[in-house]
Amino acid sequence: MSITLVPIGKVDPAEIRMLKDPLEGAFSRAVVIGEEIPLPAAARNAARNQYDAETALEFLSLSVETAGDGRVLGVTNADLYFPGMNFVFGMAGRRCALISLHRLRPPFYSLPEDAAVFRHRAVVEAVHELGHTFGLAHCKDPWCVMRFSNTIAETDRKGPAFCTVCRPRVFAGEGGQRRPAG
Ligand SMILES: [Zn+2]
Ligand SMILES: [Zn+2]
């Protein structure tokens, strides 16, 4: 079983590659980089200048063939939202998840570029959303990657690692029986 990273719309290949080693470490599975797929026009909300995360996730799961019970992480620069929320950093379904890099870059918050901060955030969000596809729910441990984050400060507070309760569940929860989660 492997994890496939899929760029959705234009994404710098280096920003996909930087996720490979940390994800292999977090999930102990091979991570491969798939072909870019377009941003789905049906997910675009012109008035909000954002993409509906659930529609984009559905498009991703229909677009990518996975062998066996492989997992897929879509990575996009588009800003994602979920009805009732201003934005989401990502979303997860049963085997597919996606993250947006849009709000992870320091310049979004009027701060200078910082490659290390950006990479940390992207890895945290990638591990978090893929964690959901392995059946993990949100965790109360403040340092655990599965803690819910609704602001960039909350993302920055947690590390990219699973706590001692969540980590074994990554390997127990391969069935992935969850509805979409943020
Ligand atoms: Zn945890
Ligand atoms: Zn979550």
Side-chain angles (χ1 to χ4, degrees), residues 60 103 165 173:
L60 175 67
R103 292 172 190 260
V165 175

Side-chain angles (χ1 to χ4, degrees), residues 57-129:
L57 185 63
E58 199 179 307
F59 178 75
L60 175 67
S61 59
L62 293 172
S63 302
V64 182
E65 290 274 333
T66 51
D69 59 353
R71 302 300 200 270
V72 176
L73 179 72
V75 180
T76 185
N77 279 306
D79 194 19
L80 301 173
Y81 77 99
F82 187 73
M85 294 179 95
N86 288 333
F87 74 93
V88 289
F89 290 121
M91 173 161 278
R94 209 168 64 84
R95 282 187 189 160
C96 292
L98 82 164
I99 60 166
S100 166
L101 302 176
H102 186 78
R103 292 172 190 260
L104 305 184
R105 300 175 199 282
F108 182 83
Y109 305 94
S110 305
L111 293 166
E113 292 277 8
D114 187 325
V117 166
F118 171 65
R119 188 170 57 242
H120 173 87
R121 291 170 175 172
V123 169
V124 164
E125 291 304 326
V127 173
H128 180 98
E129 295 305 339

Side-chain angles (χ1 to χ4, degrees), residues 106-174:
F108 182 83
Y109 305 94
S110 305
L111 293 166
E113 292 277 8
D114 187 325
V117 166
F118 171 65
R119 188 170 57 242
H120 173 87
R121 291 170 175 172
V123 169
V124 164
E125 291 304 326
V127 173
H128 180 98
E129 295 305 339
L130 278 168
H132 283 312
T133 71
F134 284 88
L136 293 180
H138 287 146
C139 179
K140 296 242 184 299
D141 184 320
W143 314 113
C144 178
V145 71
M146 291 314 296
R147 182 155 177 121
F148 176 70
S149 66
N150 199 24
T151 66
I152 201 67
E154 288 167 336
T155 297
D156 288 345
R157 207 169 296 139
K158 56 186 180 177
F162 296 109
C163 72
T164 52
V165 175
C166 289
R167 172 126 189 110
R169 290 188 184 156
V170 171
F171 299 94
E174 295 202 4

